[in-house]
Amino acid sequence: MSALNGFRVLELAEGVAGEYCGKLLADFGAEVIKIEAPDGSPTRRLGPFADGEPGPERSGLFAYLNTNKRSATLDLGNANGVATLQRLLDRVDAVIDDHAPGWLTSAGLDPLQVGTTHPALVLCAISPHGQDAPEERRHATDLTVFHASGWGFHTPTGADPARPPLNGAGRFLPSYEAGLDAALCIVAALFEREQSARGRVIDIAMQQVLASRADYVLAQMVAGDMEASTSRTAFDLAGPAGIFRCADGYAYIWMSAPAHWDALRTLLGDPAWMQTFPERWLERACTPERVAECRKHLAAWLATQHKAQVAAEAQALGLTLVPVNDAEDLLASPQQAFRRYFVEVWHPVLGRMPYPGVPYRMSATPPRIDRAAPVLGAHTQDVLAGGDAA
Amino acid sequence: MMPRDRGGPLAGVRVVELTKVWAGPYVGKLLAYLGAEVIRVESLGSLDVTRVYGVDDMNNAPGFQSVNPQKLSVQIDMKQPEGVKLILDLLAKSDMLVENLRPGAVRRLGLGYDVVKQSRPDIVYVSMGMYGSEGPLAYQTGYAPCFAALGGVSGRVGYENEPPSGMNVRYADSTFGAAAAYAATVALLHRRRSGQGQFIDVSAVESMTSMIGDELVGHAMGQVLRADGNRHPDMAPHGVYPCRDGEWISLAATTDAAWAALAGAMEQPALATDARFADLPARKAHESELDALIGAWTARRDAAQAAAWLQRHGIAAAKSQSSVDLVSDPHLWARGFYRELRQPDGSSKLTVGPSWKMTREAAIEDGAPHLGQHNAYVFAEILGLDAEEQSRLAAAGVAR
């Protein structure tokens, strides 16, 4: 028994944002019925593929995003398919979509009408710029949304204005962020619906999700308390913090308070260069020259250190220094192992692999992965016949 | 005075926050934006650094105000036994506790889950830590960029063949908070259906790894991951290109047809049939040439106008927006992303609203509270303390 057992969700989404949202619900026990076109969700055609060979059951991306779901194929390009979808709508609690604005209406589910036609349905539509996106924002990818949101222009920190701003980490960070807020809103709506029996229409704009993640600075800027500018460093903080090369990779060091400086002094045995810095300089006298001088010494020192060991020594003294982890480090992390973050899943084509789990451990309703992603159309007959999840 | 019912899906839910800085307060902000009543427990003796760092007036602290709108504030000194007792009394009348104090702090204060559960057996208790509350590395602490470094995000951002540069330093706290808010809301729903509360232990590091989840799967399938600038395995071109006046434009050709349309939009239709760029593998093989051609075209143009022009040709493109662009983005304004709030002193102030639009939304009206602005409401109306007892608590420094 997990938290969302008994809820039935229809996933019309075919992108990463909507499929991740559906996964967040499915891993808590919701019965998520994934409606796929006859040739399958487009995410089945995105890599990585088993042995590098494309194929509908060979995508690691699809396998990751669709654990615990059921798959039913339905051709929404014809009247029969649309009529079948209408019948399914009467049997579900929530719908997740992430097509372009207008698609839902063409599939017979006008967001403006659904409150009347299906008053108990929770309908969540995710799109790059919202259901009311203007013409000049109709075409978007995760990259363009990341840059429309402000995160792109300000990445990396300490940007060189002559070099291009960077994409975020990985291919789909904006989609994951949007899927997370979508899942939050859907569950909040289901919570209220338990008492009111009323549904809701939710419109998630990926640009807005990402921009809201910068609220600490952006709210100050729109309020006029912090300067908004055309500078690439407008989101940055002053100080020597940053990524430094180590003997076996990279480490990130953060220093903002006297306690951090004192801890570093202890760790380094109070070297001569540190004695030339004034008391509380990080707070009160953080000049670019001192930052550069400090970084020069940090770089020379850390180049000789091993990232995990030096982090453990620093942390014991109260210095916020951490390794810059790669995938191998994460899989080997004793903390991740303790929390059982990675979950072994067996898939008929991909075999047994560790999948990233979820960042929350829950005492009463732990999320779990009971089933690998479905084979295309595996549950079509069951779903169309009105059967419940096995 | 009782705060008015603002509606929204979480109307009627009461959340108590023992939080600091950004990630913990962000949870409360999301829940407040969904309609919950969110009460910050604060004290002069342990003020949130965002109320005081580089600020003259703790009741007009811009950073604090950014992540604490639509919340209530009560002063209780949790370092005194009587303060702890008051907090437990308050939790007995609440649905959820959110805390992101230093590892182990709540237990040392006598406010760990085991204790709180005695006062409120069905409490949803949300504990947030860089590494979560238990485990071999749970003693370690850090700020947002540490979460991103540890979670594998920083190493995946950077220019090709160079050391990783990481995301912007501000990234991670709010994502961590959103993950915690989701789990917390799931737990509320479970409690409504079953009567059962629970303990939720959220890891900032893992919230970061979840933002690159498919990359870990790729690693398990033998992919080699390295910083790749703005490139993308499934699209080319895919990048950020220079425009006039130091501006930049992001664009991507999602298909061969989109690439042909881009060639047309650049008024270089011959490129569409150029064998070097005929399909994705060809364009990936000649990506530097491709980027140079596009960069030459964008360099003479205004970023916003070029994006609009490309959009008319069906191409995914957007100006890389600066902070000035963001606060003046007409579409964000049209969607009500920026909201005007009533401040405690009666003035008004703009802020960042919710990420969503939904039917029957919660009203979002009030700015972040002054320290102790809601002492009377909490002490009198929630806890039922008479005026004499309130005076005694104030005089004893418990409500300071």
Side-chain angles (χ1 to χ4, degrees), chain A residues 5 132 164 167 176-177 181, chain B residues 159 171 175 214 230 335 355:
Chain A
N5 276 149
D132 53 357
N167 193 13
Y176 293 134
E177 294 279 13
D181 275 24
Chain B
Y159 297 99
Y171 186 70
T175 301
D214 62 285
N230 287 317
R335 283 180 64 82
S355 71

Side-chain angles (χ1 to χ4, degrees), chain B residues 191-209:
Chain B
R191 192 182 78 150
R192 177 163 275 183
R193 297 207 299 164
S194 69
Q196 185 182 30
Q198 61 183 312
F199 179 70
I200 305 175
D201 181 2
V202 194
S203 156
V205 173
E206 291 169 3
S207 76
M208 288 291 98
T209 309

Side-chain angles (χ1 to χ4, degrees), chain A residues 326-340:
Chain A
D326 60 23
E328 206 52 51
D329 297 325
L330 291 171
L331 285 164
S333 163
Q335 184 68 16
Q336 261 38 0
F338 176 85
R339 288 174 57 90
R340 298 194 176 89

Side-chain angles (χ1 to χ4, degrees), chain B residues 80-271:
Chain B
Q80 299 189 40
E82 211 177 353
V84 171
K85 166 79 170 50
L86 270 182
I87 293 171
L88 290 171
D89 290 347
L90 175 58
L91 289 170
K93 299 189 178 238
S94 303
D95 303 292
M96 186 190 298
L97 171 67
V98 182
E99 72 88 9
N100 74 330
L101 306 183
R102 293 179 68 84
V106 282
R107 272 193 296 266
R108 290 192 293 274
L109 290 165
L111 290 167
Y113 179 57
D114 290 346
V115 179
V116 171
K117 209 166 50 167
Q118 307 296 318
S119 299
R120 180 80 198 204
D122 62 349
I123 194 89
V124 172
Y125 190 119
V126 183
S127 177
M128 303 169 69
M130 179 166 85
Y131 264 132
S133 72
E134 289 181 277
L137 301 181
Y139 72 94
Q140 298 196 1
T141 60
Y143 298 86
C146 304
F147 312 161
L150 287 167
V153 163
S154 302
R156 297 292 294 116
V157 182
Y159 297 99
E160 264 184 303
N161 305 318
E162 293 183 24
S165 57
M167 297 276 287
N168 183 276
V169 64
R170 304 284 185 171
Y171 186 70
D173 273 324
S174 49
T175 301
F176 175 29
Y182 171 61
T185 307
V186 168
L188 281 177
L189 176 53
H190 176 70
R191 192 182 78 150
R192 177 163 275 183
R193 297 207 299 164
S194 69
Q196 185 182 30
Q198 61 183 312
F199 179 70
I200 305 175
D201 181 2
V202 194
S203 156
V205 173
E206 291 169 3
S207 76
M208 288 291 98
T209 309
S210 297
M211 294 295 112
I212 51 166
D214 62 285
E215 302 251 309
L216 276 295
V217 173
H219 172 80
M221 292 173 68
Q223 279 198 330
V224 178
L225 306 173
R226 58 172 75 90
D228 55 359
N230 287 317
R231 295 197 166 160
H232 192 292
D234 312 314
M235 291 181 236
H238 184 276
V240 187
Y241 303 90
C243 293
R244 279 200 328 233
D245 305 322
E247 295 181 342
W248 299 85
I249 187 172
S250 60
L251 66 88
T254 50
T255 59
D256 292 343
W259 158 241
L262 176 57
M266 295 196 300
E267 293 167 319
Q268 299 172 54
L271 289 177

